[in-house]
Amino acid sequence: MDFDQMMVAMRKLALQAGAVIMDVYESDTFEVKTKSDESPVTEADEKADALISAGLRAAFPDVPLVTEEQDETHSEMGDTFLIVDPLDGTKEFVHRRGDFTVNIAYVEKGVPLRGVVYAPARERLFYTDGSGQTVEETGPFDLDVPGALTPLSVSNSDNSALFVVASKSHRDQALEDYIAKYEVADSKSAGSSLKFCLIASGEADIYPRLGRTMEWDTAAGHAVLAGAGGKVVRFDDHTPLRYGKAAFENPHFIAYAPTVKLKPAS
């Protein structure tokens, strides 16, 4: 696989999808439909998905594609594939809160090796470069000419003063009880896969997730975090989170900088 070529394609598609999403986001009204799993979907999800899917299939016709918005792709089985969430954080989008992202990732042998996370409303773009190093690009986000790139690295965490980031929409008592096991200097709620990126950039130390997620929600953020030296493990036994699981459903997990001393699940 030519990873330099892959990241050029992924970056461009993420930016193009972000532009489509922002056109809808900045419109006066947009329709919100409900899918069979009760989650919301909008015109922005569908348009971004069509754009990204067409682009990836044209660029990488031999690599299986899994995307949230196309149920027929959810029967793909194997441990190597492209995986897309065209609009992660649809609830944030619907409520016009800004914490939504475009997620595109490449998984090989169960491991997310390359990924891009673009938060168009926040004007933040994170991706792994051809070598696997994670960078954050500074705008204006030209489609063909990357702007200034800052290599990212996770923080050297102070376990007596950790910065925790957690989901805006899924904070419950079980999560609060787990966070209480740590010495926390500050805690922030954030939506979508931005939480992985905040650890990758050193802005946070740990992100525990006890709610339901799917692989398309996490693969791109996982790749971005790994490329900055971070880890994502299962919540129950702290083994690495793998991809290509049945129905693409994740167990509870913890994303973190490796210097954080993880606490047991119970």
Side-chain angles (χ1 to χ4, degrees), residues 22-191:
M22 291 306 292
D23 282 345
V24 177
Y25 186 68
E26 292 169 350
S27 64
D28 292 335
T29 67
F30 50 80
E31 182 184 4
V32 181
K33 296 179 281 190
T34 302
K35 295 191 287 188
S36 58
D37 64 357
E38 300 302 311
S39 63
V41 64
T42 71
E43 176 186 359
D45 298 76
E46 294 167 346
K47 286 184 172 180
D49 181 70
L51 186 155
I52 295 168
S53 298
L56 290 177
R57 287 183 171 123
F60 310 105
D62 298 326
V63 182
L65 173 64
V66 178
T67 172
E68 178 183 10
E69 303 306 335
Q70 297 176 38
D71 289 346
E72 65 273 17
T73 69
H74 301 174
S75 60
E76 290 284 357
M77 296 305 295
D79 61 3
T80 298
F81 49 90
L82 291 156
I83 187 163
V84 173
D85 188 344
L87 176 50
D88 181 31
T90 302
K91 289 179 182 177
E92 302 295 314
F93 178 90
V94 168
H95 293 104
R96 299 184 192 271
R97 290 197 290 247
D99 275 6
F100 51 85
T101 56
V102 179
N103 296 344
I104 308 173
Y106 171 70
V107 173
E108 186 175 284
K109 297 180 180 177
V111 178
L113 292 186
R114 299 291 185 273
V116 57
V117 175
Y118 178 40
R122 297 282 183 245
E123 297 186 337
R124 299 196 74 173
L125 175 62
F126 305 86
Y127 54 90
T128 51
D129 65 16
S131 72
Q133 167 67 48
T134 291
V135 297
E136 181 172 5
E137 180 179 334
T138 305
F141 305 134
D142 183 279
L143 286 180
D144 298 309
V145 182
L149 302 178
T150 302
L152 299 185
S153 181
V154 296
S155 65
N156 183 11
S157 303
D158 179 353
N159 283 277
S160 66
L162 293 175
F163 197 113
V164 177
V165 64
S167 172
K168 276 184 177 174
S169 305
H170 301 93
R171 291 189 76 141
D172 59 13
Q173 193 58 49
L175 178 59
E176 298 298 343
D177 290 346
Y178 183 71
I179 292 173
K181 296 182 177 187
Y182 294 88
E183 294 182 57
V184 177
D186 202 359
S187 177
K188 177 183 180 180
S189 294

Side-chain angles (χ1 to χ4, degrees), residues 124 126 134-136 150-155 194-205 224-225 228-230:
R124 299 196 74 173
F126 305 86
T134 291
V135 297
E136 181 172 5
T150 302
L152 299 185
S153 181
V154 296
S155 65
L194 274 174
K195 294 181 283 293
F196 294 95
C197 301
L198 295 177
I199 303 173
S201 65
E203 296 167 67
D205 298 295
V224 164
L225 178 54

